[in-house]
């Protein structure tokens, strides 16, 4: 059974900032990021069981780009909540809790 993937507003804002940043570097990069995000979300819908990093927070890297999606899994509702699109250059102490 597949899981629904919900991207929280805070994550959408982080993604929008990343898209804006990369669009200034190269107009094709935002599309590439979105492709990689879609692939990661599709994968999470099928198999959300990546290692736990902190309490119930798990992560999946975004291929090619220095970001990870931090997410939690609600077994009862078959729901994956993406709580952050975290830039890996940041201090790990800033991970959402």
């Amino acid at each position: 059974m597949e899981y629904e993937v919900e991207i929280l507003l805070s994550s959408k804002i982080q993604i929008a900032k990343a898209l804006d940043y990369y669009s200034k570097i190269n107009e094709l990069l935002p599309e590439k990021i979105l492709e990689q995000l879609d692939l990661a979300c599709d994968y999470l819908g099928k198999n959300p069981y990546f290692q736990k990093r902190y309490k119930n927070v798990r992560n999946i890297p975004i291929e090619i780009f220095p970001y990870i999606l931090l997410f939690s899994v609600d077994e009862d509702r078959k729901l994956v909540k993406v709580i952050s699109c975290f830039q890996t250059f940041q201090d790990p102490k800033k991970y959402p809790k």
Side-chain angles (χ1 to χ4, degrees):
M1 175 179 245
E2 289 198 19
Y3 287 71
E4 178 184 350
V5 178
E6 177 185 353
I7 301 175
L8 300 182
L9 180 60
S10 58
S11 300
K12 289 179 181 180
I13 291 169
Q14 293 167 332
I15 292 167
K17 287 179 182 180
L19 295 174
D20 183 55
Y21 172 78
Y22 281 103
S23 70
K24 294 173 183 170
I25 296 171
N26 182 315
E27 63 186 31
L28 300 177
L29 287 176
E31 183 177 329
K32 295 285 185 193
I33 294 173
L34 289 174
E35 287 173 7
Q36 294 303 315
L37 286 168
D38 284 344
L39 288 173
C41 288
D42 287 347
Y43 191 83
L44 287 178
K46 295 174 185 156
N47 181 16
Y49 295 104
F50 283 78
Q51 72 186 56
K52 291 183 183 177
R53 296 298 253 179
Y54 183 80
K55 295 187 180 180
N56 292 324
V57 178
R58 301 169 182 268
N59 72 59
I60 183 172
I62 302 302
E63 296 292 322
I64 307 170
F65 296 95
Y67 290 90
I68 56 174
L69 294 181
L70 298 168
F71 62 95
S72 62
V73 180
D74 183 334
E75 271 296 318
D76 296 332
R77 296 174 52 203
K78 298 291 184 199
L79 178 67
V80 174
K81 286 186 181 181
V82 177
I83 57 177
S84 181
C85 181
F86 189 81
Q87 184 184 45
T88 58
F89 292 141
Q90 294 184 56
D91 184 345
K93 292 176 187 170
K94 293 183 177 180
Y95 274 24
K97 295 178 173 136

